[in-house]
Amino acid sequence: MPHRPPLPALPALLVLLASLALLYACDKPQAASPAAAQPKPEVGFVELQHEALTLNTELPGRTSAHLIAEVRPQVGGIVQKRLFREGTEVKAGEMLYQIDPASFQAAYDSAKADLAKAQANIRSLQLKVERYRDLVGIKAVSQQDYDDAKASLLQADAEVEAAKAALETARINLDHTRVTAPISGRIGRSAVTAGALVTADQSTALATIQQLDPIYVDVTRSSTEWLRLQQALASGRLQQPGDNAISVRLRLEDGRDYPQTGRLLFSEVTVDESSGAITLRAEFPNPRQLLLPGMYVRALLDEGVDTAALLVPQRAVSRDPRGGATVYVINADNKIELRSIETERAVGDRWLLRSGLDAGAHVVVDGLQKIRPGLEVKPVAFAPQLPAATVADEAPAGNAGAAR
């Protein structure tokens, strides 16, 4: 039977296998740690810069006529004819109605005759006073008779003046039978026709005339916002361009922009106690009379120019549990910080900042879902992509106002 060599001992075999495994592990490259292998997240940011911004406010308003005159008769009588066409332009002084003048003509003629009679009487009394003046010196008439003659002359003078006043009154009443337009403008419908009986100073107007060029627009604004605007202008934060007159633009009921620009005239001197609003009045040219009294419009007031405005994109702003506005900014070490800000108003797709950030701040606008405060990131300047052209973009220029 052949002789077999003895098998190595079990401990020596285990040591040999462990050595081979160690040598294999040393030759294989080690895997990097998860923390060292994860790249820094790439985020898009915008750098805030001061810019000049014209601030405007859109307010609801109503149009009203520049001048309004209600035509009423000043004497009573029968309307003989109407001399205008409803809805047309009339000029100041143009005759609108003719009231039957017969009785007023007779009163005028009577007053004229009374004046002639008084004037004839005064001539006789003047001659009598002159004769008595000479006779009283030679005692041919008494002093009493002379005094009575002078008193009669003075009375006759007064009667002449009264007759003149009566004649003027009769002339005025006769003229009032011709009802004329007190102002120039567009006249509305007539409340009476020929044959109607009218009375002096009646409550119902015969017609109404409205001057529409220029035209007023009355808007309301919160008194708090009005005080804030006045404070901003007084402090110099806002500057009014041009001649310091606040310009106003209009948007009509159908969404179109009114082609003429107006100006703010004044603000009401009292505040409505029920609404806390103040009324502002603007004036607009209305040569084509496109604006009619009573129209609802939206007025855009150019309040002033903020020469150092800071605007932050709305997509960068989020809200904390208390409703406060917050943004993520990238500091000098490329780490994320959470900042609380105060916004004043929306300007397009951006917020106008009141406080919280300074010019030069890098505000994160892209990649917000993958960051947190303290995280180091790779900042990249954000370049927004313009939207593709749409059918609305290619609409004719004349429909631009309706597209808005």
Side-chain angles (χ1 to χ4, degrees):
M1 183 171 169
H3 176 74
R4 295 182 178 180
L7 296 174
L10 183 59
L13 180 59
L14 293 178
V15 172
L16 179 59
L17 293 175
S19 299
L20 292 174
L22 182 60
L23 290 174
Y24 177 76
C26 290
D27 291 339
K28 186 177 180 181
Q30 295 183 353
S33 63
Q38 185 177 4
K40 299 176 183 178
E42 185 176 286
V43 295
F45 72 92
V46 294
E47 182 177 351
L48 300 189
Q49 297 292 342
H50 290 300
E51 55 185 285
L53 175 66
T54 300
L55 300 180
N56 55 63
T57 300
E58 184 173 340
L59 301 171
R62 292 279 180 184
T63 56
S64 60
H66 186 259
L67 293 177
I68 301 177
E70 292 183 338
V71 180
R72 287 186 172 86
Q74 294 179 273
V75 294
I78 301 296
V79 176
Q80 288 185 329
K81 50 187 172 180
R82 190 192 77 197
L83 303 171
F84 66 92
R85 188 160 57 91
E86 296 170 319
T88 61
E89 292 287 328
V90 296
K91 300 293 183 182
E94 181 178 338
M95 188 171 173
L96 304 177
Y97 297 93
Q98 175 65 65
I99 298 175
D100 185 4
S103 60
F104 299 98
Q105 182 67 52
Y108 175 79
D109 294 340
S110 176
K112 188 176 181 180
D114 290 341
L115 176 60
K117 180 181 178 181
Q119 289 174 334
N121 186 44
I122 199 172
R123 180 58 181 163
S124 174
L125 291 174
Q126 285 175 341
L127 294 175
K128 184 177 182 179
V129 169
E130 291 174 0
R131 287 195 305 269
Y132 278 21
R133 184 184 299 114
D134 296 334
L135 295 175
V136 76
I138 61 175
K139 306 297 184 180
V141 296
S142 66
Q143 182 67 38
Q144 183 64 46
D145 290 339
Y146 177 63
D147 292 341
D148 290 344
K150 290 197 298 183
S152 297
L153 178 60
L154 293 175
Q155 183 178 355
D157 286 336
E159 291 174 352
V160 168
E161 295 301 321
K164 288 181 178 179
L167 179 62
E168 181 65 14
T169 300
R171 184 194 65 78
I172 292 173
N173 289 335
L174 181 60
D175 287 345
H176 283 164
T177 61
R178 303 173 68 256
V179 181
T180 59
I183 63 172
S184 298
R186 180 180 291 186
I187 192 166
R189 64 183 182 86
S190 176
V192 297
T193 62
L197 175 64
V198 295
T199 58
D201 302 324
Q202 64 184 32
S203 59
T204 303
L206 302 181
T208 301
I209 303 173
Q210 300 184 83
Q211 190 176 103
L212 306 181
D213 185 23
I215 195 168
Y216 290 137
V217 174
D218 296 327
V219 299
T220 55
R221 184 174 192 180
S222 165
S223 58
T224 303
E225 295 177 354
W226 180 251
L227 289 175
R228 185 181 298 122
L229 172 61
Q230 297 301 312
Q231 183 179 5
L233 292 172
S235 65
R237 188 173 66 85
L238 287 183
Q239 299 178 4
Q240 291 184 352
D243 57 356
N244 291 333
I246 297 180
S247 61
V248 187
R249 291 167 288 127
L250 280 187
R251 185 163 293 138
L252 303 180
E253 291 176 311
D254 59 1
R256 290 182 298 159
D257 289 336
Y258 184 64
Q260 301 283 346
T261 300
R263 61 189 180 93
L264 188 66
L265 293 183
F266 69 92
S267 61
E268 187 56 86
V269 295
T270 56
V271 177
D272 190 324
E273 296 180 359
S274 61
S275 62
I278 189 171
T279 300
L280 312 178
R281 168 162 284 186
E283 184 183 72
F284 282 82
N286 192 27
R288 297 172 54 192
Q289 298 190 0
L290 180 62
L291 298 177
L292 298 177
M295 274 187 172
Y296 174 80
V297 293
R298 302 288 298 181
L300 285 80
L301 278 67
D302 292 336
E303 300 176 342
V305 178
D306 189 344
T307 57
L310 286 178
L311 296 168
V312 61
Q314 292 185 4
R315 61 184 296 174
V317 180
S318 57
R319 299 286 173 176
D320 59 24
R322 293 177 295 179
T326 61
V327 294
Y328 287 110
V329 298
I330 305 172
N331 62 18
D333 298 328
N334 290 339
K335 291 186 177 181
I336 297 297
E337 294 182 2
L338 183 64
R339 299 278 186 87
S340 296
I341 61 172
E342 290 187 23
T343 59
E344 184 170 332
R345 65 174 72 185
V347 180
D349 61 350
R350 298 185 292 177
W351 288 108
L352 175 62
L353 286 179
R354 181 179 297 172
S355 63
L357 294 175
D358 297 322
H362 290 182
V363 178
V364 179
V365 295
D366 189 38
L368 294 168
Q369 69 279 2
K370 52 187 177 182
I371 61 175
R372 65 181 184 278
L375 179 66
E376 186 174 358
V377 296
K378 179 183 178 181
V380 177
F382 179 70
Q385 294 182 354
L386 296 177
T390 62
V391 175
D393 294 332
E394 299 172 359
N399 296 333
R404 287 192 295 269

